[in-house]
Amino acid sequence: MTLHDLQPAWASVHGGPDTAGVPLWDFSTNSNACGPCSEAREAVQGADATRYPDPAYTALRESLGAFHGVAPGRVVLAASASEFMHRITTLAALQGAVQAALPLHSYGDYAQAAQVRGLDVVRGTGVAAGLQWACEPSSPLGLADPAVRAWQLDGVARDGGLPDVLRVLDCAYAPLRLDPEGAWTGAPPAQMPSACWQLWTPNKALGLTGVRAAYAIGPAGSEEQVRTLVALASSWPVGAHGVALLQAWVQPAVQQWLVYSLSALRDWKSRQQALCLDLGWAVHAGSLANYFCAQPASAALQNDLVALRAAGIKLRDTTSFGLPGTVRLGVLAPAAQDALRLAWKGVASGRTIADQDLPTGSGDAL
């Protein structure tokens, strides 16, 4: 594989603002629509940007370690979740991995990081690859990831040293679970696979996705790998604003706000799914989180998405996830949902009129 075989970073498919600017009603990201959390935003706004952060992030790692009940030496700071995905993939390649196992449908940066480093990408649970990814709730469907159950059952810790397999659980949406059994309670879930890395990205849960900061928790006995990951990073991967966000993340008032927000998100999600059904869309069942997938009733979905974007509404096309003809919708407030209903009816009406006006002669030019 050469560099010319790789998709340039700027061509990656993402939700959120694009070349047309900021959408008026943005269903394309999974940010907490109740946000931003005022306490976290105030912390970010009050960050001292005139000075470098501590390059070792000593106090921050202690706070995050205490929040997760682990030693600070198991905490790795990252510029973003995506940045850590690339960095730990580099570590896997250095350890001799030749394959990366991904969920059937997953975030594109897992595969991009593997391809850049020459790892073959395979998909499915139980694949014996040197680097294995899981995400729960999954994206884009919001489901439980079967790999997590398998990891809990067999583990990868070996006698006499560190595991020869890197397993990474992407916890980006764990704080946004809405199901009663797995709903966030203000602290990390106790039941997690013990022999895997946990990657945390609080900016989505706090409604502050523009602040790029993340961290990972290494499994017990991973201190050597932690040191290597720190060495692979540039100096100060997290700036003052990211440090402020992560310090705010572990504060009781911020966690209380998050827990309270889940109630509103549950109500909004039920209303939004009912709206989609009313529009004639097929809604994928089982989502545990503040987003879900649906298949709009459209024979020309790409054109309809362009028309919606022109009307100020952006949905996340899931073709890049391996689900063509489907969209992912982050849960938004009722006003945004009503705007979606009105815009879709306008798009569908325009499509119907256009279809009626098409020439019927076989030799007519369109």
Side-chain angles (χ1 to χ4, degrees):
M1 178 179 293
T2 69
L3 291 177
H4 295 289
D5 298 319
L6 301 173
Q7 185 184 50
W10 52 261
S12 299
V13 179
H14 294 290
D18 49 33
T19 55
V22 178
L24 181 60
W25 307 108
D26 191 0
F27 292 85
S28 70
T29 79
N30 297 333
S31 181
N32 187 339
C34 293
C37 170
S38 58
E39 291 90 349
R41 179 173 58 183
E42 289 170 6
V44 170
Q45 291 172 336
D48 184 359
T50 68
R51 294 177 174 82
Y52 292 109
D54 167 16
Y57 300 102
T58 307
L60 178 57
R61 293 174 78 189
E62 289 176 352
S63 295
L64 293 171
F67 184 64
H68 287 268
V70 302
R74 289 168 56 184
V75 179
V76 177
L77 275 299
S80 67
S82 293
E83 185 271 322
F84 184 81
M85 291 168 192
H86 282 261
R87 205 185 332 161
I88 200 165
T89 303
T90 298
L91 175 59
L94 290 173
Q95 291 187 174
V98 296
Q99 286 185 327
L102 279 55
L104 183 61
H105 306 294
S106 65
Y107 182 51
D109 279 31
Y110 305 156
Q112 184 191 37
Q115 291 166 348
V116 166
R117 287 151 187 84
L119 276 62
D120 293 330
V121 173
V122 292
R123 294 188 182 272
T125 303
V127 178
L131 175 62
Q132 301 173 13
W133 284 97
C135 182
E136 185 172 292
S138 66
S139 183
L141 292 170
L143 304 176
D145 192 321
V148 176
R149 305 287 87 76
W151 294 358
Q152 287 174 326
L153 290 174
D154 71 359
V156 294
R158 310 286 173 83
D159 292 337
L162 294 173
D164 55 4
V165 173
L166 287 174
R167 288 177 166 172
V168 190
L169 175 58
D170 188 347
C171 302
Y173 307 113
L176 291 167
R177 285 187 68 147
L178 304 180
D179 58 305
E181 291 184 2
W184 190 257
T185 61
Q191 298 300 319
M192 281 204 166
S194 59
C196 75
W197 287 80
Q198 300 172 21
L199 176 56
W200 294 90
T201 326
N203 58 3
K204 294 181 178 67
L206 301 179
L208 290 163
T209 53
V211 184
R212 310 300 294 157
Y215 63 96
I217 304 295
S222 63
E223 287 78 8
E224 182 178 339
Q225 291 176 327
V226 167
R227 288 190 288 271
T228 302
L229 286 167
V230 171
L232 287 170
S234 59
S235 299
W236 298 289
V238 181
H241 298 93
V243 170
L245 178 79
L246 296 180
Q247 285 284 21
W249 165 243
V250 302
Q251 300 306 311
V254 171
Q255 288 298 318
Q256 185 178 51
W257 173 88
L258 173 58
V259 172
Y260 286 162
S261 75
L262 302 182
S263 178
L265 291 174
R266 289 188 191 94
D267 292 341
W268 295 352
K269 181 179 180 180
S270 296
R271 186 182 190 275
Q272 188 166 307
Q273 289 179 322
L275 180 151
C276 290
L277 292 171
D278 186 57
L279 293 176
W281 298 9
V283 174
H284 288 254
S287 170
L288 306 171
N290 66 320
Y291 54 89
F292 60 91
C293 286
Q295 292 176 280
S298 171
L301 181 58
Q302 292 302 317
N303 292 337
D304 290 343
L305 292 178
V306 171
L308 284 176
R309 183 66 184 89
I313 292 178
K314 185 173 181 179
L315 309 182
R316 178 66 158 90
D317 176 13
T318 59
T319 300
S320 65
F321 287 101
L323 290 171
T326 302
V327 295
R328 188 192 68 194
L329 300 95
V331 171
L332 296 186
Q337 298 176 22
D338 293 342
L340 172 61
R341 179 194 297 273
L342 184 62
W344 181 258
K345 288 186 176 180
V347 167
S349 176
R351 188 194 324 123
T352 301
I353 294 172
D355 290 345
Q356 292 173 347
D357 291 342
L358 287 175
T360 56
S362 60
D364 291 337
L366 296 181

